[in-house]
Amino acid sequence: MTSKTEAENKAEMQSWGAYMGSLGEKGQLVGGLPLVSGGMVVSPKGSISEPVNATKEGIVGGYLIVKADSLQKASELAKACPHIANDGNIEVREIAPMPAM
């Protein structure tokens, strides 16, 4: 968003509001939030603070959890996301149930 004009940013945020509002009205939006660009990397060797490296990992800027009857239907919901119109891509995955402990 930093390379866009104020009007472009405002229009994009309005698109996001309309998209998420539509999902909510249809009962398809479970939740989601934007993510900050930095974080921690945790490994057996320890934890280090590390910013997102787009060339190495790509950027996950946020997440949405939606209700859909299939992965295909969830992918159709993703096609309407404003991120697609801004040359972004969206990874669609099913949430796996936790195995019994």
Side-chain angles (χ1 to χ4, degrees):
M1 290 182 75
T2 57
S3 64
K4 296 180 181 180
T5 67
E6 186 176 333
E8 289 170 328
N9 285 333
K10 184 176 180 180
E12 184 174 347
M13 292 309 295
Q14 288 173 337
S15 294
W16 272 99
Y19 175 67
M20 294 187 67
S22 175
L23 291 173
E25 288 171 7
K26 296 173 187 171
Q28 296 170 311
L29 181 63
V30 176
L33 293 168
L35 301 170
V36 298
S37 62
M40 299 290 292
V41 175
V42 180
S43 73
K45 296 178 184 178
S47 301
I48 59 170
S49 178
E50 185 175 283
V52 173
N53 182 342
T55 58
K56 184 172 98 177
E57 302 163 355
I59 295 176
V60 177
Y63 69 94
L64 292 179
I65 300 173
V66 299
K67 291 180 184 178
D69 293 333
S70 67
L71 191 60
Q72 182 62 35
K73 288 183 180 180
S75 296
E76 290 298 320
L77 295 175
K79 288 179 183 177
C81 180
H83 188 60
I84 297 294
N86 288 302
D87 294 326
N89 60 55
I90 297 172
E91 187 173 315
V92 179
R93 294 187 181 196
E94 184 176 351
I95 298 174
M98 285 295 291
M101 300 269 187

